[in-house]
Amino acid sequence: MRTDSSPGTLPAREHLPAAGAGTPVLDVVIPVYNEEKDLQPCVLRLHEHLKRTFPYAFRITIADNASTDTTPQVAARLEERIGEVRSFRLEQKGRGRALRTVWSASDAPILAYMDVDLSTDLNALLPLVAPLISGHSDLAIGSRLARSSRVVRGPKREFISRAYNLILRGSLQARFSDAQCGFKAIRRDVAQVLLPLVEDTGWFFDTEMLVLAERAGLRIHEVPVDWVDDPNSTVNIVKTATDDLKGVWRIGRALATGSLPLDRLARPFGDDPRDRDLRDVPKGLARQLVGFCVVGGLSTLFYLLLYSVFRQFSGSQIANALALLVSAVANTAANRRLTFGVRGRGGAVRHQAQGLVVFGIGLALTSGSLAALNAATSDPAHSTELAVLIAANLAATVLRFLLFRAWVFPDRRDDTPTPQAEVPHRRHTPGTPAYQPLPPLPQRHATPRRSYDPEYDTTPFRAGADADRTPFRDATMPLQPVRPQDTDPRDYR
């Protein structure tokens, strides 16, 4: 396998850098609200599965969302008895708020979460995080809608889930298949840059994070899962669906107006072969040609329609000028957004002004063609005028594309460096190999740091009045927020 960075060779994606000796590789967060009955069996089952199958050090973090029952006491008891378990208490509800808080403060390089009901088969956990550890992907999600998934749930939830994902595909052009499956993972370096852009604190948190990641060009890995519906779920389907639709509207509007700073996320996590400077291979030429042809075809039809309308009450020269002016403004706006991918309002006036210059050149070509036609015959037929205009527009279209690509919308990505604080690119020092092997990930310790009570696996935890008589220590986990510009001295990247 080649690992050099010569032109034409795909870049070698790095394996996850090794963390500190006592740092877990995986931090699984379980957000809970009033789950005193399900929390203990869930944590015990998850802990046993990770001890048996996961080859690296791990941590299980219970994120309590302002529970009003004995969930905090159950979490404290689990943290006391199991060395890999931590608990954290939030005084406000919201699954998204809990995940953002715990993920932002975690020191584990891989961050995951799952629902407390463990509807997803745990055998999918290692395939979920493996692409993140290897460096192949930036996020990973479990999918209940993949062809090879095996799902048991009622028709109501099945219909709502598929309808919601169809809405995402139609309105936000999402390409991931399942936004709301409670089984996801993300690399810590990606989360540090992505999470500050996610506004939602509830159930729409997952969807917003995935849409932003996909629009920024990050790689999302999907894992087919086996999933069994929890009939005792307390999720308010109607309220959740309403909040999700509001979130879809908010994100769609932000994407349409260009108010989201997606440039902060554009491929910041490693070398991308699409960003390579290869000789004789113009960047994005094929995609731009397709987009320009589609926009040009629609603009031509729009222009001919306008010309036919204006020709009813004006001469051919005036009708041509008016039709070409209106269609040129629409054509520039469409090519700006769809063909050359320029978002936001910045530079829109300048682009339209340059587009009008291109319009002037097209006007000269088409007007000259009409003048030549009128010189050749005194009363040309309307169909003959249209044929001449189509030929002139074809010539003007080729020239318009070249001017758009080289002058109006040039590719300036290489001329505009991104601040290091916002986009942490890996740097290559001249004179050193392009790829340097990293030390292996820390293995899980053979013995837990705390004694483990074997009887705890079989003795059920008593809630209610018995739990109130049991002394518990403070289960609050001291966490410090991590800002995107913070750097970790242990991060080799």
Side-chain angles (χ1 to χ4, degrees):
M1 176 180 178
R2 298 181 62 185
T3 58
D4 64 306
S5 57
S6 59
T9 303
L10 291 179
R13 298 180 66 91
E14 295 182 4
H15 193 282
L16 185 70
T23 303
V25 171
L26 173 65
D27 191 350
V28 182
V29 181
I30 304 177
V32 293
Y33 173 73
N34 290 345
E35 299 287 355
E36 60 183 2
K37 295 182 179 179
D38 295 335
L39 179 57
Q40 177 181 320
C42 164
V43 173
L44 292 178
R45 179 181 165 194
L46 175 61
H47 179 264
E48 188 275 333
H49 177 83
L50 289 173
K51 290 280 288 186
R52 179 169 48 86
T53 64
F54 195 68
Y56 304 120
F58 65 88
R59 177 195 298 144
I60 301 174
T61 301
I62 303 170
D64 177 24
N65 296 274
S67 295
T68 57
D69 60 0
T70 60
T71 297
Q73 287 81 7
V74 176
R77 181 68 175 270
L78 290 168
E79 182 181 13
E80 177 67 25
R81 294 300 185 93
I82 305 176
E84 291 84 3
V85 175
R86 298 290 183 272
S87 63
F88 178 70
R89 166 81 175 181
L90 289 90
E91 298 302 330
Q92 292 179 294
K93 292 180 60 177
R95 181 180 69 172
R97 178 180 290 107
L99 292 177
R100 178 191 288 112
T101 303
V102 178
W103 278 358
S104 297
S106 178
D107 56 352
I110 302 298
L111 310 170
Y113 96 89
M114 62 181 60
D115 293 334
V116 69
D117 55 14
L118 293 186
S119 296
T120 305
D121 183 24
L122 292 179
N123 287 326
L125 182 55
L126 186 56
L128 182 79
V129 301
L132 308 186
I133 294 177
S134 67
H136 176 270
S137 302
D138 303 301
L139 298 91
I141 64 174
S143 176
R144 299 163 295 185
L145 303 181
R147 291 183 178 273
S148 56
S149 298
R150 291 173 286 187
V151 177
V152 179
R153 60 176 169 182
K156 181 180 179 180
R157 284 182 176 269
E158 180 75 12
F159 173 78
I160 292 176
S161 178
R162 292 189 178 275
Y164 178 64
N165 283 280
L166 285 176
I167 291 174
L168 293 180
R169 289 177 176 269
S171 60
L172 301 179
Q173 287 78 49
R175 291 175 294 186
F176 47 84
S177 63
D178 193 350
Q180 289 286 29
C181 180
F183 197 70
K184 296 182 176 66
I186 185 172
R187 288 172 62 102
R188 176 174 173 265
D189 54 352
V190 178
Q192 288 179 335
V193 182
L194 182 61
L195 293 184
L197 302 180
V198 181
E199 296 182 12
D200 192 80
T201 59
W203 292 94
F204 189 70
F205 175 88
D206 305 52
T207 302
E208 185 172 357
M209 179 180 67
L210 290 175
V211 170
L212 295 181
E214 187 175 71
R215 288 302 183 98
L218 304 182
R219 179 173 287 169
I220 301 175
H221 177 73
E222 293 197 20
V223 178
V225 297
D226 297 343
W227 196 85
V228 179
D229 187 19
D230 180 13
N232 299 320
S233 175
T234 58
V235 177
N236 189 328
I237 298 179
V238 176
K239 184 178 184 304
T240 301
T242 303
D243 293 341
D244 287 345
L245 292 178
K246 292 179 180 178
V248 170
W249 168 257
R250 174 174 56 83
I251 293 298
R253 184 177 57 183
L255 291 173
T257 59
S259 59
L260 285 172
L262 294 180
D263 56 321
R264 291 176 52 185
L265 294 174
R267 302 174 190 161
F269 305 103
D271 189 9
D272 192 298
R274 293 169 294 180
D275 296 329
R276 307 291 289 276
D277 285 324
L278 303 180
R279 289 177 296 179
D280 303 324
V281 182
K283 295 181 178 179
L285 179 59
R287 181 188 60 80
Q288 291 177 357
L289 276 174
V290 173
F292 185 81
C293 289
V294 173
V295 173
L298 296 177
S299 299
T300 301
L301 294 177
F302 184 50
Y303 161 77
L304 294 175
L305 176 62
L306 291 176
Y307 178 81
S308 299
V309 172
F310 294 148
R311 190 66 174 84
Q312 301 299 320
F313 54 83
S314 64
S316 60
Q317 293 288 2
I318 296 178
N320 173 66
L322 290 176
L324 197 57
L325 176 61
V326 176
S327 61
V329 173
N331 181 274
T332 300
N335 277 306
R336 181 179 187 269
R337 176 65 179 85
L338 302 177
T339 303
F340 298 96
V342 180
R343 298 178 174 85
R345 301 176 182 177
V349 176
R350 175 175 58 82
H351 292 154
Q352 284 293 348
Q354 292 173 315
L356 289 178
V357 175
V358 179
F359 153 75
I361 299 174
L363 178 61
L365 287 174
T366 53
S367 298
S369 301
L370 285 176
L373 177 63
N374 291 327
T377 176
S378 58
D379 188 19
H382 183 65
S383 58
T384 305
E385 287 184 346
L386 291 181
V388 171
L389 288 175
I390 290 174
N393 269 283
L394 288 176
T397 297
V398 176
L399 182 60
R400 185 184 302 119
F401 175 75
L402 296 176
L403 290 175
F404 273 175
R405 181 175 172 83
W407 180 46
V408 184
F409 307 109
D411 188 356
R412 295 191 176 93
R413 286 180 298 176
D414 297 334
D415 301 332
T416 307
T418 307
Q420 182 70 16
E422 294 183 348
V423 183
H425 288 279
R426 286 195 292 263
R427 298 183 179 274
H428 174 247
T429 303
T432 61
Y435 175 79
Q436 296 179 354
L438 294 170
L441 291 169
Q443 301 294 320
R444 185 177 66 234
H445 295 289
T447 58
R449 289 171 294 175
R450 303 182 185 180
S451 60
Y452 182 79
D453 188 357
E455 298 180 356
Y456 188 64
D457 288 341
T458 57
T459 304
F461 181 76
R462 301 292 300 277
D466 292 342
D468 294 337
R469 293 194 295 268
T470 305
F472 295 100
R473 63 182 183 82
D474 184 10
T476 301
M477 180 179 175
L479 298 176
Q480 297 295 329
V482 177
R483 296 180 297 275
Q485 62 268 23
D486 292 344
T487 56
D488 189 344
R490 296 172 298 187
D491 190 350
Y492 292 90
R493 297 171 65 180

